[in-house]
Amino acid sequence: MEKKIICTVCPTGCEMTVTGEDGKVTSVVGNTCKRGEVYAASEFSDPVRTLTSTVRVENGAEPLVPVRTEAPVPKRLIPEIMKLVNGITLQAPVAQKTVVLENVLDTGVNVVTTGECD
Amino acid sequence: MLIVERDNHPGGILQQCIHPGFGLKLFKKELTGPEYYTEFVKEAKELGVEFLFDTMVLELADNTLICANGQYGITEVEAGAVVLAMGCRERTRANISIPGTRPAGVYTAGAAQRLMNRQNRMVGKKAVILGSGDIGMIMARRLSLEGAEVVCVVEIMNYLAGLKRNKVQCLDDFGIPLMLSHTVTEIVGKDRVEGVKVAQVDANRRPIPETEQFIECDTLLLSVGLIPENELSRGAKLQMHPVTGGPVVDENMQTTAAGVFAAGNVVHVNDLVDNVSAESATAGRSAARYAKGELKASDTLDVTVGNNVRYVCPAKFSPERGGKVDFYFRVLAPVAGKVEIIARDGDTVLARRVAPYVNPGEMEHLSPDVTGARSLTIEVKEV
């Protein structure tokens, strides 16, 4: 199987052609760095994305605080994670890097705040 | 050091840019907007930088700022040097003259971003986005994640305006179609947007009437370009750049007024915040040297814009001060294949670099040594 993949590791956006079977990559053409090759393999088998969103804050100076997954998570889980994120309400004050969802959906990745709210 | 800020919090537009993608060049990791600015705010506070929030600067004259502040009233700030960092403003519906009614539901992408990411307000349920700039695509993803339907992204040019990775992560991931060479020809709706008319455009970017179609939606987001915000610069009679809309600066980011420096989107619209930080560091360093009387005044030469180059920033440089200078520029037209980027003084090549492709949406740069140069031309040639 052959797949055209645009690398999103950096803004260059190399256009790569990935060949492989059953999620296993046999060749990557078109990347200009090693990171592209790693990305191509991941994108070919089980694509991952960093999810960012916001979480409600009560009694704070602002109504929301931004959050992210600390590392990329499987793309297929993102709708499910969004439901969990939207179910959270924090109480101010909230510090940066507060864990709001630990090991979300057993991905081994935490959802943490990226900003703060007094 | 005093930072005068009209918001009540430092960070500027990065406060609402909750998505990742910042800091890859500078910090070698992918930070979100809030994470990126936090690093700088921390550093500034440790260095004893003071902030004056909720304050609007009304006028700049002879290195004195006239400010309006709720607590102190009209306040004068005298400075040894001033750095302008007002950023830019979004182009609106009025700037691009979209015909039709004037219902609720038409937003600039950045206004929608602020409402959703800082004020907890949803802007609509079914949206069309005009313009494939980065903010537009990022808002397409944000709306989709929060449960809205994004019908399509409409782009008048025949190429993507923003970064390719944003198309992959923000449009392709959510199955949002990108309609190149199309534009919105009419907004329809009485109280709220009921839909928009979209048509294909010809080579001169004029809509082709027979291709017009009605698309039902309740929201139209505009991501149709940014304009440097320069009321203060014009008021201070700084020389303005006809292409960028920002003040003309030299290699120290000094404007045509001695002691007034400028950096970031107020000078020219950037696509990467890392470049803004690099340019701002130059402006800050130069402003400090000026205030201490260490920055030598010198005659400058204008950079000549060569083949397939839209503008170059800085637009002036001093051959006498010389040294390696980072010149940032944008191309006029995309080239899919290999190109050579050249900086030359007459026939003498000062720097050259081969790039795999060029795109107007992605800023390029070259760093020639301009010591003693008699002229400088920057050009892009297909190879």
Side-chain angles (χ1 to χ4, degrees):
Chain A
M1 196 174 80
E2 197 180 276
K3 222 170 162 181
K4 298 261 180 214
I5 292 173
I6 297 176
C7 186
T8 63
V9 174
C10 82
T12 309
C14 292
E15 288 171 31
M16 309 181 285
T17 307
V18 187
T19 330
E21 290 304 329
D22 305 324
K24 282 228 169 66
V25 175
T26 49
S27 94
V28 180
V29 183
N31 59 307
T32 50
C33 79
K34 185 76 192 161
R35 290 188 299 168
E37 209 177 303
V38 175
Y39 174 81
S42 143
E43 198 68 5
F44 191 78
S45 50
D46 191 11
V48 292
R49 297 285 183 267
T50 295
L51 174 68
T52 63
S53 189
T54 53
V55 163
R56 270 185 302 275
V57 180
E58 278 179 351
N59 307 314
E62 309 268 341
L64 296 170
V65 66
V67 297
R68 72 175 293 169
T69 56
E70 277 187 308
V73 291
K75 196 166 92 175
R76 59 192 157 78
L77 296 179
I78 281 177
E80 193 98 4
I81 299 175
M82 272 306 289
K83 274 187 209 153
L84 296 173
V85 165
N86 283 341
I88 299 170
T89 303
L90 301 173
Q91 293 297 323
V94 181
Q96 197 181 33
K97 291 185 181 142
T98 303
V99 176
V100 298
L101 285 170
E102 206 178 330
N103 182 22
V104 65
L105 298 177
D106 283 326
T107 51
V109 174
N110 296 331
V111 176
V112 300
T113 60
T114 58
E116 53 182 20
C117 185
D118 301 326
Chain B
M1 258 303 300
L2 174 73
I3 294 177
V4 186
E5 169 61 58
R6 68 178 167 196
D7 204 341
N8 58 5
H9 195 272
I13 204 72
L14 287 171
Q15 291 175 87
Q16 66 188 56
C17 298
I18 62 164
H19 54 277
F22 302 97
L24 280 166
K25 265 181 156 175
L26 209 62
F27 296 106
K28 305 283 176 241
K29 54 184 174 183
E30 199 170 35
L31 301 174
T32 64
E35 290 168 322
Y36 187 90
Y37 79 72
T38 305
E39 310 263 341
F40 290 99
V41 172
K42 234 186 267 166
E43 216 176 312
K45 284 184 176 161
E46 279 164 17
L47 288 166
V49 172
E50 289 179 275
F51 292 86
L52 187 58
F53 292 118
D54 297 312
T55 306
M56 192 75 190
V57 179
L58 304 175
E59 202 186 321
L60 161 69
D62 303 323
N63 289 358
T64 300
L65 303 173
I66 314 286
C67 316
N69 172 289
Q71 192 182 346
Y72 307 112
I74 296 288
T75 309
E76 245 186 58
V77 178
E78 280 174 37
V82 177
V83 179
L84 303 176
M86 294 91 78
C88 57
R89 196 178 277 173
E90 287 175 284
R91 291 176 79 201
T92 64
R93 174 182 180 179
N95 291 118
I96 57 167
S97 311
I98 307 175
T101 53
R102 300 186 60 191
V106 181
Y107 301 88
T108 60
Q113 189 180 46
R114 185 185 167 101
L115 284 163
M116 286 182 69
N117 293 350
R118 288 188 69 187
Q119 290 168 246
N120 200 20
R121 291 280 178 264
M122 191 62 179
V123 294
K125 294 193 180 85
K126 192 171 179 182
V128 167
I129 298 178
L130 175 60
S132 63
D134 291 315
I135 318 169
M137 292 196 283
I138 283 160
M139 283 312 292
R141 171 174 62 188
R142 190 77 192 108
L143 281 159
S144 305
L145 283 173
E146 293 293 356
E149 181 191 345
V150 179
V151 189
C152 58
V153 173
V154 180
E155 168 61 53
I156 194 165
M157 304 304 282
N158 59 3
Y159 55 86
L160 189 73
L163 301 173
K164 266 189 279 184
R165 65 169 171 162
N166 281 331
K167 179 179 177 288
V168 174
Q169 293 183 343
C170 302
L171 305 188
D172 299 353
D173 272 7
F174 296 91
I176 300 166
L178 170 66
M179 297 169 78
L180 294 174
S181 300
H182 279 73
T183 194
V184 170
T185 49
E186 192 182 331
I187 296 171
V188 181
K190 192 169 174 287
D191 298 321
R192 177 79 196 188
V193 173
E194 287 160 25
V196 292
K197 287 181 184 168
V198 170
Q200 201 180 327
V201 297
D202 64 19
N204 299 314
R205 281 181 266 155
R206 270 192 303 259
I208 306 168
E210 51 273 26
T211 64
E212 196 173 72
Q213 54 171 309
F214 179 76
I215 298 176
E216 199 192 297
C217 61
D218 61 19
T219 305
L220 174 68
L221 294 196
L222 304 173
S223 175
V224 291
L226 303 165
I227 308 166
E229 190 165 337
N230 277 293
E231 281 73 13
L232 285 179
S233 321
R234 279 190 293 270
K237 306 235 165 15
L238 306 184
Q239 187 192 335
M240 302 301 285
H241 196 288
V243 177
T244 61
V248 169
V249 291
D250 65 15
E251 82 277 14
N252 293 317
M253 301 307 288
Q254 183 161 223
T255 68
T256 48
V260 179
F261 301 78
N265 280 2
V266 76
V267 179
H268 63 138
V269 175
N270 286 259
D271 35 69
L272 298 180
V273 73
D274 307 67
N275 290 343
V276 172
S277 294
E279 200 175 271
S280 305
T282 302
R285 209 177 301 120
S286 311
R289 285 173 63 205
Y290 181 89
K292 282 161 58 183
E294 290 169 9
L295 191 71
K296 228 182 350 172
S298 159
D299 289 338
T300 56
L301 288 177
D302 289 344
V303 179
T304 306
V305 167
N307 183 58
N308 199 12
V309 173
R310 197 159 80 90
Y311 74 85
V312 178
C313 180
K316 288 176 188 283
F317 68 98
S318 157
E320 189 195 329
R321 283 189 298 249
K324 259 195 174 181
V325 175
D326 290 328
F327 289 95
Y328 291 93
F329 64 95
R330 285 185 193 279
V331 295
L332 281 166
V335 181
K338 264 187 192 167
V339 295
E340 195 171 22
I341 298 168
I342 302 162
R344 59 178 170 83
D345 173 8
D347 290 333
T348 314
V349 172
L350 301 178
R352 66 179 353 142
R353 181 165 61 84
V354 174
Y357 69 91
V358 283
N359 190 329
E362 296 172 39
M363 204 150 71
E364 294 293 338
H365 86 281
L366 202 58
S367 311
D369 189 326
V370 296
T371 311
R374 284 153 302 163
S375 73
L376 180 71
T377 303
I378 293 188
E379 60 190 6
V380 175
K381 282 185 171 165
E382 289 178 44
V383 289

